Amino acid sequence: MQKKFFQVAIDGPVAAGKGTAAKKVALALKFLYVDTGAMYRAATWLLMAKKMAIDAAHEAELLEVLDKVDFGLVNQTDEAGNFFTQVLLDGRDVSSLIRTPQIDANVSTTATLPLVRAMLVAKQQALASANSVVMEGRDIGTKVLPAADVKFFLTASLEVRASRRFATLALSHPEMTLQDVRAQILERDRIDTHRATDPLVKADDAILVDTSDDSIEETVAKMLSVIHQKLPVA
Ligand code: DC
């Protein structure tokens, strides 16, 4: 891919802090923030809503459905000043519908399907060929943007990641215990790192950032200082 725009790639496991950090970095740089996990989540939501079997044997049918739908990612700021991505499927806002434990439990399976991945990767590359981006996911530095200007691999201990995810789910899903959340994270990590197509792995040239003991401000400051050294002087 011909590169005219600046690309920041951020990968890492579930609840490593990628989303929060990526949004703040994108805001600071005035780059487009792209949450690729939201695309896999939206695809999963649609296929589940249509009661389709999400597995390799049915991949052609799944692809046919996904091919017909328009995926929209629109960055917004709410009244409290919080930056978030609105996820639209053919214009319908599915932002909150894609962040449930049911989608959490199924999205890693959707993400194992090579043809589904190829379709979403092409959409992600198209966004990066028309905008400077901060793109977060699992395969951004290795597959989607292998020539990214800066690559980060964010991680944190399992306990820290489970507590973060538990805190996010506490209000909407009080039935989930910390143990449930921890088990689900382990299972998603297992599927994401062991799948045959574009598994979650740190790119050789990615900078490892452990967010276990850092505040979000510290993490973002570290990332911005690396990026500023690489940005072309205006
Ligand atoms: O970042 P997230 O939890 O919203 O991602 C949801 C799932 O999507 C994750 O379990 C793996 C998959 N995913 C992927 O395989 N590749 C990406 N670039 C982004 C997400």
Side-chain angles (χ1 to χ4, degrees):
M1 185 179 23
Q2 190 76 35
K3 208 150 64 74
K4 282 201 300 239
F5 296 94
F6 200 87
Q7 300 174 346
V8 179
I10 305 179
D11 291 299
V14 178
K18 302 184 302 291
T20 316
K23 282 180 206 150
K24 288 187 183 288
V25 168
L27 264 183
L29 297 170
K30 297 192 171 61
F31 286 2
L32 181 70
Y33 163 64
V34 186
D35 174 2
T36 61
M39 298 168 99
Y40 289 91
R41 286 173 178 276
T44 305
W45 178 82
L46 181 67
L47 300 175
M48 288 178 74
K50 289 186 175 289
K51 305 212 178 324
M52 298 186 75
I54 303 179
D55 57 34
H58 297 87
E59 198 173 4
E61 292 146 53
L62 300 177
L63 204 69
E64 210 179 298
V65 169
L66 295 175
D67 242 347
K68 289 200 193 99
V69 64
D70 180 56
F71 286 80
L73 295 180
V74 185
N75 290 328
Q76 306 266 23
T77 309
D78 66 17
E79 304 93 59
N82 299 312
F83 183 58
F84 69 101
T85 298
Q86 203 176 26
V87 184
L88 305 170
L89 278 183
D90 279 343
R92 172 173 177 190
D93 186 352
V94 295
S95 312
S96 54
L97 301 173
I98 65 169
R99 309 230 172 250
T100 64
Q102 289 70 30
I103 300 297
D104 284 355
N106 288 281
V107 63
S108 290
T109 307
T110 307
T112 59
L113 302 173
L115 300 178
V116 172
R117 295 200 71 81
M119 189 192 85
L120 294 181
V121 166
K123 290 184 194 296
Q124 294 153 13
Q125 289 175 333
L127 286 170
S129 68
N131 303 273
S132 286
V133 291
V134 176
M135 190 176 283
E136 58 130 327
R138 302 292 189 287
D139 58 344
I140 311 304
T142 50
K143 169 74 181 190
V144 182
L145 306 176
D149 300 277
V150 186
K151 298 180 187 178
F152 294 104
F153 192 90
L154 261 59
T155 188
S157 70
L158 175 62
E159 297 318 320
V160 167
R161 293 193 291 127
S163 323
R164 284 179 186 157
R165 190 81 186 107
F166 181 64
T168 326
L169 285 172
L171 275 184
S172 54
H173 294 278
E175 75 285 1
M176 297 277 288
T177 65
L178 181 60
Q179 278 312 100
D180 295 337
V181 173
R182 192 175 182 279
Q184 200 176 55
I185 287 182
L186 273 175
E187 177 59 5
R188 287 178 61 198
D189 282 353
R190 190 190 63 75
I191 301 177
D192 291 347
T193 51
H194 287 86
R195 66 173 176 240
T197 311
D198 308 333
L200 169 66
V201 59
K202 179 186 164 303
D204 290 340
D205 52 349
I207 298 163
L208 184 69
V209 181
D210 188 328
T211 69
S212 305
D213 299 323
D214 283 355
S215 69
I216 183 68
E217 287 73 24
E218 287 169 320
T219 300
V220 169
K222 271 186 197 168
M223 294 169 78
L224 283 174
S225 100
V226 174
I227 294 167
H228 280 304
Q229 289 167 28
K230 302 264 176 110
L231 273 175
V233 186

